[in-house]
Amino acid sequence: MTVTIDPVIDAAVYRRVLGHYPTGVCVVTASLPNGRRAGMVVGSFTSVSLSPPLVGFFPDMSSSSWPDIERAGKFCVNILASDQKDLCRRFSAKGEDKFAGLSHRLSANGSPVLDDVVAWIDCSLEKVYEAGDHYIVLGRVQELDISRPDQPLLFFRGGYGSFAPAIA
């Protein structure tokens, strides 16, 4: 076991070590009262509680999309499929209409549900906490469904891929 005595952790080492743990890739979307839509890629998403049904994700404090999603007070987590890297790139970009020409529908809660995602989880904003250079966002699940039972898009060691089940 390695113990680090120095309280300052090098950011590159931190990313390299934690990059050995795969994460799913999601797009969090929201519609604002003025009709504008917002969306951002999230690699840190998790189930938090079954009762009440809560999920969580962790947007960077420097995100330009997060303030709009927070203002909306509700959002939809769209779990990307392994063949949706282009959708991931689209929502990772800054400064453009990420929804231009993109097929989607609105949930009963009014948030964009992207077409052909693996699954979607529609939420109302429950709580936001500050945590270092990120926020911890809790959403109360209002509705959810599987759109297509396919392999999810994963992020691992700085790249994108998919899950390959082990052969027993």
Side-chain angles (χ1 to χ4, degrees), residues 80-90 153 160-162:
L80 299 186
S82 62
D83 62 355
Q84 293 182 309
K85 291 181 199 92
D86 288 342
L87 199 54
C88 176
R89 283 188 205 93
R90 174 190 284 243
L153 180 61
Y160 294 95
S162 63

Side-chain angles (χ1 to χ4, degrees), residues 35-97:
R36 207 170 95 234
R37 297 160 298 184
M40 63 186 288
V41 171
V42 173
S44 298
F45 168 74
T46 189
S47 168
V48 175
S49 170
L50 187 58
S51 181
L54 298 173
V55 295
F57 68 96
F58 311 95
D60 192 303
M61 286 185 170
S62 67
S63 167
S64 58
S65 298
W66 165 245
D68 285 339
I69 294 169
E70 183 177 30
R71 228 179 342 272
K74 54 191 174 182
F75 57 86
C76 186
V77 179
N78 295 268
I79 300 172
L80 299 186
S82 62
D83 62 355
Q84 293 182 309
K85 291 181 199 92
D86 288 342
L87 199 54
C88 176
R89 283 188 205 93
R90 174 190 284 243
F91 279 92
S92 295
K94 293 188 184 289
E96 59 185 62
D97 180 1

